[in-house]
Amino acid sequence: MAAHTAEIGGHALDADALARVAAALTAIVGERHVLRRPSALRVYDSDGLPGYHRQPALAVLPGTRDELVAVVRALAAEGAPFVARGAGTGLSGGSLADGIVVVGLNRLNRIVSIDAENALAVVEPGVVNVTLTRAVAPYGLHYAPDPSSQSACTIGGNVAENAGGPHCLKYGVTLNHVAAVTVLLPSGEIVTLGDADGEDDGYDLLGAFVGSEGCFGIALDVTVRLARDPQAVRTLLADFADMDDAARAVSRIIAAGIVPAALEMMDGAAIRAVEASIYAAGYPTDAAAILLCELDGLAAGLDEDAARVAALCRAEGARDVAVASDAAQRARLWQGRKKAFGAMGRIAPHLVLQDAVVPRTRLPAVLARIAEIGASHGVRIGNVFHAGDGNLHPNISYDAHDADESARVHAAMSEVMQACIDAGGTITGEHGVGLDKRDYMDALFDAPSLAAMCRLRDVFDPERRANPGKVVPVHACREWHATPAVRRHAGAAS
Amino acid sequence: MTTAATAPETLPLFGAPRDEPETAALVREAASRGTRLRLVGGGTWAGGGRPVRADATLRLSALHGIVDYVPGDLTLTARAGTPLSEIARVTAAERQLLALDPFGDAAGTIGATVATASVGPLAHAFGGPRDNVLGLAFVTGTGDVVRAGGRVVKNVAGFDLVRLLTGAWGTLGALTEVSVRLRALPEVDATVAVALPSVRELDAWLARLRAASLAAWALELVNAPLATQLDAGDRALLLARLAGNASAVDAQRATLATLGDLRELPPDVWARLRGCEPADAIVARISARPSRLAALCAELFAPAARAFGLMAHASVTRGVVRFVLPGADGFGMPRASAPATDAPPVRRVLERAPAALWPMLAADWSAPRATDALSRRVRAAFDPHGLLNPGAMDAPDAGPAASS
Ligand SMILES: Cc1cc2nc3c(=O)[nH]c(=O)nc-3n(C[C@H](O)[C@H](O)[C@@H](O)COP(=O)(O)OP(=O)(O)OC[C@H]3O[C@@H](n4cnc5c(N)ncnc54)[C@H](O)[C@@H]3O)c2cc1C
Ligand SMILES: Cc1cc2nc3c(=O)[nH]c(=O)nc-3n(C[C@H](O)[C@H](O)[C@H](O)COP(=O)(O)OP(=O)(O)OC[C@H]3O[C@@H](n4cnc5c(N)ncnc54)[C@H](O)[C@@H]3O)c2cc1C
């Protein structure tokens, strides 16, 4: 969470251009699906990142693939910058649009085809993550990447962020589950990246596109790989009186050669928030931390692995390890984890949720450092995270309207990010850089590396009209001022 | 003559840098002189004979050594010229492994494995380099040192240059350092062979295999000549590497036994498979959706293949058949004529051929490589003067123009 005032790109449309764009878009999608009134645009003025509000110039909501293509071509003709938007659950401010066009993709929500034999499905970008899993369940298949926001976020948004989720520890992130993407480049050209029909040679442009945060073009459709449902599942809950012990147990389990499907940690504050909410899962409210460990796969041998995990947790000081006895209990344990941020969000007006990764063995030290940083700024930093990956989600409940508190929260989070970098980690494992973390990029990458990222971006979007000003700090793109879109709209933002 | 690729052994040595700054300095020098460079790691593969047209060789094998290994994190960073065998030795001591087992010699380097995106049987469970590389450093064609990714297992900070450089055959940069994720070895790691049914029954058999509950690290079909080469009998086989605790592995054995005669094999069969290819050979692979695998195998696994000693193996889940044709003359090369228009799509890639045969074979066998507009722009963005491995990613049929 950088300063709330972070500038995005600064090349908004002028009034004339906007009027022309609005007319062109209306001709494509109809009056109803072009929003211009501030009241109608309010839904689009923020995403999951609290404290930031940006007013788009207009929002266009195409209903078919052809309409989307026509919309982007109309924007290209006008040289107009735009931001693609899925469900707006992003936590890094990626879909904020400052005086430019929002292209909303929610209406493109068809599951185009399911090839159960080859475990592939083709979906439009606005398909909600969990909808896909429900649709393929009858075939004994599921879509493995399961962000905690899966009941709302879209596959297009997942591809743009290379989203993760609890089950990514064993099954990998979005990239590992995408076979091909048809991309609508900002120029209006359509290209297919990757290949669902076989293994080709050539540059891995699909790999470059996944995680490009809406800066390389719009995913028109996505061919995803589906995963077979495991034969059996065991879900364990380990209860620790000391967070360090829980963190050490994480490394012990992985080092033992057991790869849990998920290994999640929640600290005491999160546990109590969940238990005080309608999502109460029966977590021990006096615990300093819990580990939620899921094992899945073959039925044979699973109980032995579960027993080993329990023994390793106990060896690291767990007070108790419980095993969910049936599917209902398992679902309840997961409900608490998946709704933890929702539950915490009710405690205070705002919840800032960060996303950083550290080497697993550094978890105890980094968690201790985070607590110290919180104390020194007078804020309480909570932790609910994908412990098996070392993917931290430090979070603070606060009131964004309180300037003093906001400033302290901001300062604390900056120090947390630096602590993670210092520990050999990174500033985002799944939520993306967006606007929020752009200013940390300099701490992570040197100038030539950032410039190389800019060059890659320019391959897809030489005019830098797709989600301008996100991800890589503007000053890192040496040739920035030479780009046509910037020249054309220079000064128009004032 | 237009097609003459320059053989690595005939090229003068431009340099053999010992560290990253030296590598960058050499590439800058080459750029200033317009010297086109053929990159060489361990030199065990030389790009399979790809038509690289270069003026000099840049040897990267002196970029050697493990930089950082934290067993508790299951991550390792090595200089690009470090042989896979060295990484295997160091990680084995901690009961861990790097799950990359490309074909060829273990003297092959981590840098080349990533640059070529070479994979072996373990890709069944762990994917290829793109799924195992966490970060890397490289020197672009203009001599800039770029660092991408990191050393932690999840990372989405910035645009993904790691994936871009993986499989780019050195044409976007010379890799200097690679960080990878490792896997812990399971309690039991067993290799078994199951006899395959006749080609006629293969389709139904594969469907049963795919539906079976297994947690295998590798599932590879092997044709009869290759089985012989591996000292595993003289019939086509399924090779399975079963991993897990004792109960899990026993259950998988029992499952596989319902599919055919099951035998235990020594674990070195995998190393033999990786090294099965004679010094003179033509290698290609065909892939399609996995449901088409039986059809793909029909020709390559048929008894007629034996006459030419054609060895073939196939990854059950990836739907890829790779075949090795001993001899450098191409005699007995399977026909790869264009399929009937209504046939499902098939992808073909030529992996290795004598340089002289590349133009002819590749036109038939290889899908066009980096020839689309985006790929050309990628190449221009990272190696604007076309100095690094020129030709390695060109379309096989692009002819002389491709080298300009
Ligand atoms: C007998 C044999 C069979 C093989 N079969 C196959 C196969 O069928 N398919 C396949 O994909 N691979 C195959 N390989 C290649 C092998 O799997 C790996 O790519 C690797 O082990 C080769 O290592 P090397 O260091 O000897 O590579 P080299 O022979 O030195 O180089 C191989 C390629 O990688 C490039 N390269 C090397 N180092 C770097 C670097 N640091 N940065 C950028 N580019 C670099 C080179 O320019 C060259 O194009 C085979 C290898 C052998 C020896
Ligand atoms: C309670 C909560 C829990 C969360 N848990 C997780 C978690 O466990 N793991 C995780 O990874 N994330 C998590 N997230 C973050 C968020 O859900 C993901 O980043 C998600 O992928 C965003 O999807 P979206 O559809 O909401 O995208 P949006 O927020 O609308 O957009 C995100 C970015 O994607 C771009 N974009 C959207 N659609 C497309 C498209 N079709 N083509 C190109 N670019 C596009 C946008 O321009 C923007 O830059 C969580 C969020 C919340 C609120």
Side-chain angles (χ1 to χ4, degrees), chain A residues 1-10 45-47 49-55 83 90-98 161 212-213 215 354 410 427-428 431-441 467-474, chain B residues 159:
Chain A
M1 150 158 149
H4 288 209
T5 50
E7 289 292 324
I8 298 187
D45 79 353
S46 61
D47 63 2
L49 177 70
Y52 285 84
H53 292 273
R54 291 289 183 278
Q55 178 82 18
V83 181
L91 290 167
S92 53
S95 51
L96 294 178
D98 199 358
E161 299 291 3
S212 59
E213 304 196 27
C215 297
Q354 263 307 358
H410 172 58
I427 57 168
T428 172
H431 295 169
V433 175
L435 181 61
D436 184 37
K437 284 189 275 200
R438 199 182 54 185
D439 295 341
Y440 299 120
M441 290 289 279
N467 214 355
K470 305 286 171 62
V471 185
V472 178
V474 170
Chain B
F159 301 133

Side-chain angles (χ1 to χ4, degrees), chain B residues 220-235:
Chain B
E220 201 80 11
L221 308 180
V222 157
N223 79 348
L226 182 52
T228 308
Q229 170 87 10
L230 302 178
D231 278 338
D234 59 0
R235 290 186 52 193

Side-chain angles (χ1 to χ4, degrees), chain B residues 38-48 50 52 60 63 80-81 84 102-105 107-119 169-171 173-176 274-275 277-278 283 285 322 351-352 389 392:
Chain B
R38 178 193 269 275
L39 307 178
V40 176
T44 67
W45 174 244
R50 286 183 181 226
V52 171
L60 299 164
L63 291 170
L84 292 178
F103 294 97
D105 204 311
T109 60
I110 179 77
T113 302
V114 173
T116 59
S118 295
V119 300
W169 285 85
T171 59
L175 304 178
T176 52
R274 293 170 62 186
E277 170 182 338
V283 183
R285 64 170 197 257
R322 176 175 178 271
E351 298 270 349
R352 175 181 181 182
N389 276 350

Side-chain angles (χ1 to χ4, degrees), chain A residues 115 118 176 195 197 199-201 203-204 228 254 301 304-305 359-361 391 426 428 430 449 455 459, chain B residues 50 73-74 130-131 147 154-156 171 210-211 245 247 287-291 318 347 367 369 377 381:
Chain A
D115 172 359
N118 290 299
N176 303 113
D195 194 337
D197 289 326
E199 295 188 6
D200 230 331
D201 225 348
Y203 296 132
D204 188 357
R228 297 238 336 257
I254 310 268
E304 280 101 312
D305 276 354
R360 236 166 353 229
T361 51
N391 187 181
T426 187
T428 172
E430 54 180 20
S449 305
R455 284 206 292 279
V459 163
Chain B
R50 286 183 181 226
D73 291 330
L74 287 158
R130 86 198 283 258
D131 307 296
R147 301 192 162 272
K154 252 171 123 183
N155 189 359
V156 292
T171 59
R210 282 200 204 94
N245 61 32
S247 325
S287 61
R289 295 199 180 197
S291 58
R318 293 168 54 229
R347 303 287 174 246
R369 292 203 169 76
R377 297 213 299 258

Side-chain angles (χ1 to χ4, degrees), chain A residues 146-349:
Chain A
D146 60 338
S148 302
S149 53
Q150 70 184 139
S151 56
C153 65
T154 67
I155 300 289
N158 293 166
V159 167
E161 299 291 3
N162 195 8
H167 285 85
C168 293
L169 175 59
K170 177 169 176 181
Y171 293 103
V173 292
T174 298
L175 176 65
N176 303 113
H177 301 275
V178 173
V181 180
T182 310
V183 176
L184 178 57
L185 296 175
S187 63
E189 254 176 286
I190 296 171
V191 294
T192 299
L193 309 180
D195 194 337
D197 289 326
E199 295 188 6
D200 230 331
D201 225 348
Y203 296 132
D204 188 357
L205 297 176
L206 174 65
F209 182 82
V210 174
S212 59
E213 304 196 27
C215 297
F216 288 8
I218 299 182
L220 266 185
D221 63 48
V222 185
T223 306
V224 297
R225 292 185 213 284
L226 303 166
R228 297 238 336 257
D229 294 345
Q231 201 177 26
V233 181
R234 298 284 181 279
T235 305
L236 292 82
L237 182 74
D239 160 2
F240 291 86
D242 183 317
M243 195 147 85
D244 263 22
D245 293 347
R248 272 196 305 274
V250 170
S251 281
R252 279 285 289 275
I253 293 167
I254 310 268
I258 297 170
V259 186
L263 187 49
E264 300 282 301
M265 197 196 290
M266 285 171 68
D267 70 6
I271 293 167
R272 288 184 286 279
V274 167
E275 290 307 307
S277 76
I278 52 165
Y279 308 117
Y283 299 152
T285 48
D286 62 341
I290 55 167
L291 279 183
L292 191 60
C293 178
E294 186 149 288
L295 300 166
D296 73 3
L298 298 178
L302 205 56
D303 287 325
E304 280 101 312
D305 276 354
R308 265 182 88 201
V309 167
L312 290 168
C313 287
R314 288 210 171 84
E316 288 297 343
R319 298 189 297 189
D320 189 25
V321 185
V323 184
S325 53
D326 56 29
Q329 210 179 341
R330 180 184 160 235
R332 189 159 168 246
L333 288 182
W334 270 113
Q335 170 92 337
R337 166 61 185 90
K338 293 232 167 183
K339 301 293 185 188
F341 296 123
M344 286 186 301
R346 296 172 355 132
I347 298 173

Side-chain angles (χ1 to χ4, degrees), chain B:
Chain B
M1 194 35 222
T2 53
T3 52
T6 31
E9 59 275 16
T10 63
L11 292 174
L13 184 67
F14 192 77
R18 280 155 307 171
D19 58 22
E20 199 169 80
E22 232 176 273
T23 313
L26 280 164
V27 173
R28 271 198 300 271
E29 191 186 326
S32 71
R33 295 199 211 161
T35 306
R36 297 171 303 172
L37 298 174
R38 178 193 269 275
L39 307 178
V40 176
T44 67
W45 174 244
R50 286 183 181 226
V52 171
R53 312 170 103 253
D55 308 310
T57 292
L58 188 65
R59 188 181 304 283
L60 299 164
S61 51
L63 291 170
H64 170 267
I66 289 167
V67 177
D68 187 29
Y69 175 27
V70 186
D73 291 330
L74 287 158
T75 59
L76 176 144
T77 301
R79 296 202 179 84
T82 311
L84 292 178
S85 58
E86 186 171 331
I87 294 173
R89 200 182 60 241
V90 170
T91 54
E94 301 286 341
R95 286 193 49 75
Q96 298 181 351
L97 92 165
L98 168 60
L100 293 178
D101 58 345
F103 294 97
D105 204 311
T109 60
I110 179 77
T113 302
V114 173
T116 59
S118 295
V119 300
L122 285 176
H124 165 83
F126 303 109
R130 86 198 283 258
D131 307 296
N132 290 282
V133 176
L134 304 173
L136 41 81
F138 61 96
V139 175
T140 67
T142 50
D144 286 336
V145 176
V146 174
R147 301 192 162 272
R151 292 185 187 182
V152 284
V153 297
K154 252 171 123 183
N155 189 359
V156 292
F159 301 133
D160 197 340
L161 300 169
V162 174
R163 254 39 74 175
L164 190 72
L165 267 285
T166 301
W169 285 85
T171 59
L172 305 180
L175 304 178
T176 52
E177 195 175 284
V178 179
S179 296
V180 287
R181 72 189 301 163
L182 305 172
R183 317 282 165 167
L185 284 170
E187 206 174 290
V188 182
D189 179 358
T191 295
V192 299
V194 179
L196 285 190
S198 69
V199 166
R200 216 173 335 107
E201 294 159 80
L202 192 58
D203 210 1
W205 191 89
L206 283 173
R208 282 171 62 204
L209 176 64
R210 282 200 204 94
S213 285
L214 296 168
W217 273 20
L219 280 183
E220 201 80 11
L221 308 180
V222 157
N223 79 348
L226 182 52
T228 308
Q229 170 87 10
L230 302 178
D231 278 338
D234 59 0
R235 290 186 52 193
L237 298 173
L238 166 74
L239 288 182
R241 185 165 174 186
L242 308 176
N245 61 32
S247 325
V249 170
D250 284 346
Q252 294 180 76
R253 273 199 190 93
T255 302
L256 285 175
T258 66
L259 288 166
D261 288 342
L262 180 137
R263 274 184 302 141
E264 301 288 323
L265 286 183
D268 73 350
V269 70
W270 298 106
R272 285 160 166 267
L273 178 61
R274 293 170 62 186
C276 70
E277 170 182 338
D280 262 350
I282 293 171
V283 183
R285 64 170 197 257
I286 315 177
S287 61
R289 295 199 180 197
S291 58
R292 293 254 299 139
L293 187 60
L296 291 185
C297 287
E299 189 182 357
L300 297 171
F301 276 51
R306 192 184 283 274
F308 300 102
L310 184 138
M311 298 184 283
H313 58 103
S315 164
V316 172
T317 38
R318 293 168 54 229
V320 177
V321 187
R322 176 175 178 271
F323 73 84
V324 176
L325 183 67
D329 52 13
F331 188 59
M333 185 80 175
R335 294 294 311 262
S337 44
T341 42
D342 60 344
V346 168
R347 303 287 174 246
R348 305 187 175 92
V349 174
L350 187 64
E351 298 270 349
R352 175 181 181 182
L357 288 188
W358 258 95
M360 186 191 91
L361 291 177
D364 199 14
W365 271 89
S366 269
R369 292 203 169 76
T371 52
D372 57 285
L374 280 182
S375 297
R376 281 199 305 269
R377 297 213 299 258
V378 167
R379 168 87 162 138
F382 290 87
D383 182 14
H385 313 301
L387 295 181
L388 303 177
N389 276 350
M393 292 289 275
D394 287 352
D397 55 350
S403 65
S404 62

